[in-house]
PDB file of all heavy atoms in Angstrom:
ATOM      1  N   PRO A 230     125.797 117.802  81.301  1.00 97.00           N
ATOM      2  CA  PRO A 230     126.779 118.065  80.225  1.00 97.00           C
ATOM      3  C   PRO A 230     128.155 117.471  80.504  1.00 97.00           C
ATOM      4  O   PRO A 230     128.826 116.996  79.582  1.00 97.00           O
ATOM      5  CB  PRO A 230     126.825 119.604  80.162  1.00 97.00           C
ATOM      6  CG  PRO A 230     125.526 120.037  80.740  1.00 97.00           C
ATOM      7  CD  PRO A 230     125.212 119.040  81.806  1.00 97.00           C
ATOM      8  N   LEU A 231     128.570 117.504  81.778  1.00 97.00           N
ATOM      9  CA  LEU A 231     129.885 116.937  82.132  1.00 97.00           C
ATOM     10  C   LEU A 231     129.881 115.434  81.892  1.00 97.00           C
ATOM     11  O   LEU A 231     130.827 114.867  81.297  1.00 97.00           O
ATOM     12  CB  LEU A 231     130.222 117.245  83.587  1.00 97.00           C
ATOM     13  CG  LEU A 231     131.499 116.575  84.117  1.00 97.00           C
ATOM     14  CD1 LEU A 231     132.703 117.018  83.315  1.00 97.00           C
ATOM     15  CD2 LEU A 231     131.682 116.906  85.592  1.00 97.00           C
ATOM     16  N   LEU A 232     128.842 114.743  82.350  1.00 97.00           N
ATOM     17  CA  LEU A 232     128.746 113.304  82.127  1.00 97.00           C
ATOM     18  C   LEU A 232     128.699 112.997  80.633  1.00 97.00           C
ATOM     19  O   LEU A 232     129.317 112.054  80.163  1.00 97.00           O
ATOM     20  CB  LEU A 232     127.517 112.740  82.809  1.00 97.00           C
ATOM     21  CG  LEU A 232     127.553 112.677  84.329  1.00 97.00           C
ATOM     22  CD1 LEU A 232     126.219 112.147  84.861  1.00 97.00           C
ATOM     23  CD2 LEU A 232     128.686 111.794  84.819  1.00 97.00           C
ATOM     24  N   ALA A 233     127.955 113.817  79.866  1.00 96.00           N
ATOM     25  CA  ALA A 233     127.862 113.604  78.424  1.00 96.00           C
ATOM     26  C   ALA A 233     129.222 113.758  77.763  1.00 96.00           C
ATOM     27  O   ALA A 233     129.588 112.993  76.863  1.00 96.00           O
ATOM     28  CB  ALA A 233     126.864 114.592  77.828  1.00 96.00           C
ATOM     29  N   TRP A 234     130.013 114.752  78.199  1.00 97.00           N
ATOM     30  CA  TRP A 234     131.351 114.971  77.640  1.00 97.00           C
ATOM     31  C   TRP A 234     132.241 113.760  77.927  1.00 97.00           C
ATOM     32  O   TRP A 234     132.976 113.276  77.026  1.00 97.00           O
ATOM     33  CB  TRP A 234     131.945 116.221  78.237  1.00 97.00           C
ATOM     34  CG  TRP A 234     133.312 116.566  77.696  1.00 97.00           C
ATOM     35  CD1 TRP A 234     133.596 117.172  76.513  1.00 97.00           C
ATOM     36  CD2 TRP A 234     134.552 116.288  78.322  1.00 97.00           C
ATOM     37  NE1 TRP A 234     134.965 117.313  76.342  1.00 97.00           N
ATOM     38  CE2 TRP A 234     135.567 116.759  77.453  1.00 97.00           C
ATOM     39  CE3 TRP A 234     134.923 115.700  79.537  1.00 97.00           C
ATOM     40  CZ2 TRP A 234     136.927 116.683  77.769  1.00 97.00           C
ATOM     41  CZ3 TRP A 234     136.275 115.600  79.859  1.00 97.00           C
ATOM     42  CH2 TRP A 234     137.264 116.080  78.979  1.00 97.00           C
ATOM     43  N   LEU A 235     132.180 113.219  79.156  1.00 96.00           N
ATOM     44  CA  LEU A 235     132.973 112.050  79.519  1.00 96.00           C
ATOM     45  C   LEU A 235     132.550 110.824  78.700  1.00 96.00           C
ATOM     46  O   LEU A 235     133.392 110.054  78.220  1.00 96.00           O
ATOM     47  CB  LEU A 235     132.839 111.775  81.013  1.00 96.00           C
ATOM     48  CG  LEU A 235     133.430 112.817  81.957  1.00 96.00           C
ATOM     49  CD1 LEU A 235     133.058 112.498  83.406  1.00 96.00           C
ATOM     50  CD2 LEU A 235     134.956 112.878  81.797  1.00 96.00           C
ATOM     51  N   ILE A 236     131.251 110.651  78.540  1.00 96.00           N
ATOM     52  CA  ILE A 236     130.743 109.486  77.805  1.00 96.00           C
ATOM     53  C   ILE A 236     131.059 109.604  76.329  1.00 96.00           C
ATOM     54  O   ILE A 236     131.484 108.612  75.682  1.00 96.00           O
ATOM     55  CB  ILE A 236     129.221 109.342  78.036  1.00 96.00           C
ATOM     56  CG1 ILE A 236     128.968 108.912  79.463  1.00 96.00           C
ATOM     57  CG2 ILE A 236     128.621 108.337  77.047  1.00 96.00           C
ATOM     58  CD1 ILE A 236     127.540 109.119  79.916  1.00 96.00           C
ATOM     59  N   ALA A 237     130.935 110.784  75.785  1.00 95.00           N
ATOM     60  CA  ALA A 237     131.274 110.984  74.369  1.00 95.00           C
ATOM     61  C   ALA A 237     132.739 110.701  74.100  1.00 95.00           C
ATOM     62  O   ALA A 237     133.091 110.115  73.077  1.00 95.00           O
ATOM     63  CB  ALA A 237     130.919 112.411  73.941  1.00 95.00           C
ATOM     64  N   GLY A 238     133.597 111.063  75.067  1.00 94.00           N
ATOM     65  CA  GLY A 238     135.031 110.759  74.918  1.00 94.00           C
ATOM     66  C   GLY A 238     135.307 109.278  75.063  1.00 94.00           C
ATOM     67  O   GLY A 238     136.066 108.707  74.290  1.00 94.00           O
ATOM     68  N   ALA A 239     134.670 108.643  76.043  1.00 93.00           N
ATOM     69  CA  ALA A 239     134.897 107.216  76.280  1.00 93.00           C
ATOM     70  C   ALA A 239     134.398 106.363  75.128  1.00 93.00           C
ATOM     71  O   ALA A 239     134.977 105.301  74.841  1.00 93.00           O
ATOM     72  CB  ALA A 239     134.240 106.802  77.584  1.00 93.00           C
ATOM     73  N   THR A 240     133.351 106.811  74.466  1.00 91.00           N
ATOM     74  CA  THR A 240     132.756 106.025  73.370  1.00 91.00           C
ATOM     75  C   THR A 240     133.230 106.511  72.002  1.00 91.00           C
ATOM     76  O   THR A 240     132.741 106.027  70.979  1.00 91.00           O
ATOM     77  CB  THR A 240     131.224 106.089  73.431  1.00 91.00           C
ATOM     78  OG1 THR A 240     130.799 107.449  73.378  1.00 91.00           O
ATOM     79  CG2 THR A 240     130.704 105.432  74.696  1.00 91.00           C
ATOM     80  N   ARG A 241     134.170 107.486  72.010  1.00 92.00           N
ATOM     81  CA  ARG A 241     134.707 108.052  70.786  1.00 92.00           C
ATOM     82  C   ARG A 241     133.584 108.563  69.841  1.00 92.00           C
ATOM     83  O   ARG A 241     133.552 108.274  68.660  1.00 92.00           O
ATOM     84  CB  ARG A 241     135.561 107.001  70.040  1.00 92.00           C
ATOM     85  CG  ARG A 241     136.753 106.530  70.853  1.00 92.00           C
ATOM     86  CD  ARG A 241     137.556 105.493  70.132  1.00 92.00           C
ATOM     87  NE  ARG A 241     138.686 105.054  70.936  1.00 92.00           N
ATOM     88  CZ  ARG A 241     139.557 104.103  70.566  1.00 92.00           C
ATOM     89  NH1 ARG A 241     139.421 103.520  69.384  1.00 92.00           N
ATOM     90  NH2 ARG A 241     140.553 103.766  71.355  1.00 92.00           N
ATOM     91  N   SER A 242     132.691 109.283  70.461  1.00 91.00           N
ATOM     92  CA  SER A 242     131.563 109.824  69.694  1.00 91.00           C
ATOM     93  C   SER A 242     131.367 111.304  70.049  1.00 91.00           C
ATOM     94  O   SER A 242     130.270 111.750  70.311  1.00 91.00           O
ATOM     95  CB  SER A 242     130.286 109.039  69.970  1.00 91.00           C
ATOM     96  OG  SER A 242     130.015 108.988  71.375  1.00 91.00           O
ATOM     97  N   ARG A 243     132.475 112.064  70.033  1.00 91.00           N
ATOM     98  CA  ARG A 243     132.421 113.472  70.410  1.00 91.00           C
ATOM     99  C   ARG A 243     131.496 114.259  69.474  1.00 91.00           C
ATOM    100  O   ARG A 243     130.933 115.281  69.845  1.00 91.00           O
ATOM    101  CB  ARG A 243     133.825 114.062  70.385  1.00 91.00           C
ATOM    102  CG  ARG A 243     134.657 113.677  71.606  1.00 91.00           C
ATOM    103  CD  ARG A 243     134.263 114.502  72.814  1.00 91.00           C
ATOM    104  NE  ARG A 243     134.841 113.977  74.047  1.00 91.00           N
ATOM    105  CZ  ARG A 243     136.077 114.194  74.437  1.00 91.00           C
ATOM    106  NH1 ARG A 243     136.909 114.880  73.711  1.00 91.00           N
ATOM    107  NH2 ARG A 243     136.489 113.701  75.606  1.00 91.00           N
ATOM    108  N   SER A 244     131.367 113.799  68.223  1.00 93.00           N
ATOM    109  CA  SER A 244     130.480 114.493  67.281  1.00 93.00           C
ATOM    110  C   SER A 244     129.021 114.448  67.710  1.00 93.00           C
ATOM    111  O   SER A 244     128.210 115.236  67.245  1.00 93.00           O
ATOM    112  CB  SER A 244     130.615 113.893  65.886  1.00 93.00           C
ATOM    113  OG  SER A 244     130.254 112.524  65.890  1.00 93.00           O
ATOM    114  N   HIS A 245     128.705 113.502  68.612  1.00 93.00           N
ATOM    115  CA  HIS A 245     127.324 113.351  69.084  1.00 93.00           C
ATOM    116  C   HIS A 245     127.182 113.873  70.533  1.00 93.00           C
ATOM    117  O   HIS A 245     126.260 113.467  71.233  1.00 93.00           O
ATOM    118  CB  HIS A 245     126.903 111.876  69.032  1.00 93.00           C
ATOM    119  CG  HIS A 245     126.945 111.285  67.652  1.00 93.00           C
ATOM    120  ND1 HIS A 245     126.328 111.883  66.572  1.00 93.00           N
ATOM    121  CD2 HIS A 245     127.530 110.159  67.183  1.00 93.00           C
ATOM    122  CE1 HIS A 245     126.518 111.146  65.506  1.00 93.00           C
ATOM    123  NE2 HIS A 245     127.263 110.100  65.839  1.00 93.00           N
ATOM    124  N   TRP A 246     128.063 114.790  70.926  1.00 93.00           N
ATOM    125  CA  TRP A 246     128.033 115.290  72.313  1.00 93.00           C
ATOM    126  C   TRP A 246     126.677 115.906  72.653  1.00 93.00           C
ATOM    127  O   TRP A 246     126.163 115.682  73.756  1.00 93.00           O
ATOM    128  CB  TRP A 246     129.143 116.303  72.505  1.00 93.00           C
ATOM    129  CG  TRP A 246     129.119 116.937  73.866  1.00 93.00           C
ATOM    130  CD1 TRP A 246     129.502 116.368  75.040  1.00 93.00           C
ATOM    131  CD2 TRP A 246     128.653 118.236  74.194  1.00 93.00           C
ATOM    132  NE1 TRP A 246     129.318 117.239  76.094  1.00 93.00           N
ATOM    133  CE2 TRP A 246     128.796 118.428  75.600  1.00 93.00           C
ATOM    134  CE3 TRP A 246     128.123 119.291  73.462  1.00 93.00           C
ATOM    135  CZ2 TRP A 246     128.444 119.591  76.241  1.00 93.00           C
ATOM    136  CZ3 TRP A 246     127.774 120.481  74.090  1.00 93.00           C
ATOM    137  CH2 TRP A 246     127.939 120.604  75.481  1.00 93.00           C
ATOM    138  N   ARG A 247     126.117 116.682  71.749  1.00 94.00           N
ATOM    139  CA  ARG A 247     124.833 117.321  72.058  1.00 94.00           C
ATOM    140  C   ARG A 247     123.722 116.268  72.257  1.00 94.00           C
ATOM    141  O   ARG A 247     122.871 116.413  73.139  1.00 94.00           O
ATOM    142  CB  ARG A 247     124.427 118.286  70.921  1.00 94.00           C
ATOM    143  CG  ARG A 247     125.301 119.539  70.886  1.00 94.00           C
ATOM    144  CD  ARG A 247     124.772 120.527  69.865  1.00 94.00           C
ATOM    145  NE  ARG A 247     125.575 121.735  69.847  1.00 94.00           N
ATOM    146  CZ  ARG A 247     125.347 122.769  69.052  1.00 94.00           C
ATOM    147  NH1 ARG A 247     124.308 122.729  68.190  1.00 94.00           N
ATOM    148  NH2 ARG A 247     126.098 123.856  69.115  1.00 94.00           N
ATOM    149  N   GLY A 248     123.757 115.229  71.428  1.00 95.00           N
ATOM    150  CA  GLY A 248     122.791 114.146  71.603  1.00 95.00           C
ATOM    151  C   GLY A 248     122.953 113.471  72.943  1.00 95.00           C
ATOM    152  O   GLY A 248     121.968 113.171  73.638  1.00 95.00           O
ATOM    153  N   TRP A 249     124.222 113.217  73.317  1.00 97.00           N
ATOM    154  CA  TRP A 249     124.482 112.616  74.629  1.00 97.00           C
ATOM    155  C   TRP A 249     124.019 113.531  75.749  1.00 97.00           C
ATOM    156  O   TRP A 249     123.505 113.061  76.796  1.00 97.00           O
ATOM    157  CB  TRP A 249     125.978 112.356  74.786  1.00 97.00           C
ATOM    158  CG  TRP A 249     126.486 111.079  74.150  1.00 97.00           C
ATOM    159  CD1 TRP A 249     127.458 110.974  73.193  1.00 97.00           C
ATOM    160  CD2 TRP A 249     126.035 109.737  74.405  1.00 97.00           C
ATOM    161  NE1 TRP A 249     127.650 109.669  72.847  1.00 97.00           N
ATOM    162  CE2 TRP A 249     126.796 108.875  73.570  1.00 97.00           C
ATOM    163  CE3 TRP A 249     125.082 109.187  75.251  1.00 97.00           C
ATOM    164  CZ2 TRP A 249     126.638 107.505  73.581  1.00 97.00           C
ATOM    165  CZ3 TRP A 249     124.916 107.810  75.256  1.00 97.00           C
ATOM    166  CH2 TRP A 249     125.677 106.979  74.428  1.00 97.00           C
ATOM    167  N   CYS A 250     124.187 114.831  75.582  1.00 97.00           N
ATOM    168  CA  CYS A 250     123.722 115.786  76.613  1.00 97.00           C
ATOM    169  C   CYS A 250     122.228 115.622  76.876  1.00 97.00           C
ATOM    170  O   CYS A 250     121.805 115.510  78.033  1.00 97.00           O
ATOM    171  CB  CYS A 250     123.998 117.225  76.178  1.00 97.00           C
ATOM    172  SG  CYS A 250     125.642 117.823  76.586  1.00 97.00           S
ATOM    173  N   LEU A 251     121.457 115.602  75.817  1.00 98.00           N
ATOM    174  CA  LEU A 251     120.019 115.472  75.955  1.00 98.00           C
ATOM    175  C   LEU A 251     119.653 114.102  76.535  1.00 98.00           C
ATOM    176  O   LEU A 251     118.814 113.993  77.447  1.00 98.00           O
ATOM    177  CB  LEU A 251     119.323 115.682  74.608  1.00 98.00           C
ATOM    178  CG  LEU A 251     117.798 115.488  74.600  1.00 98.00           C
ATOM    179  CD1 LEU A 251     117.136 116.494  75.526  1.00 98.00           C
ATOM    180  CD2 LEU A 251     117.232 115.629  73.185  1.00 98.00           C
ATOM    181  N   ALA A 252     120.317 113.068  76.036  1.00 98.00           N
ATOM    182  CA  ALA A 252     120.003 111.724  76.485  1.00 98.00           C
ATOM    183  C   ALA A 252     120.315 111.529  77.961  1.00 98.00           C
ATOM    184  O   ALA A 252     119.505 110.990  78.737  1.00 98.00           O
ATOM    185  CB  ALA A 252     120.793 110.690  75.645  1.00 98.00           C
TER     186      ALA A 252
END
Side-chain angles (χ1 to χ4, degrees):
L231 173 60
L232 289 178
W234 182 80
L235 293 173
I236 290 163
T240 58
R241 299 179 181 178
S242 55
R243 284 282 168 81
S244 60
H245 300 308
W246 176 75
R247 289 187 179 181
W249 279 122
C250 274
L251 177 61

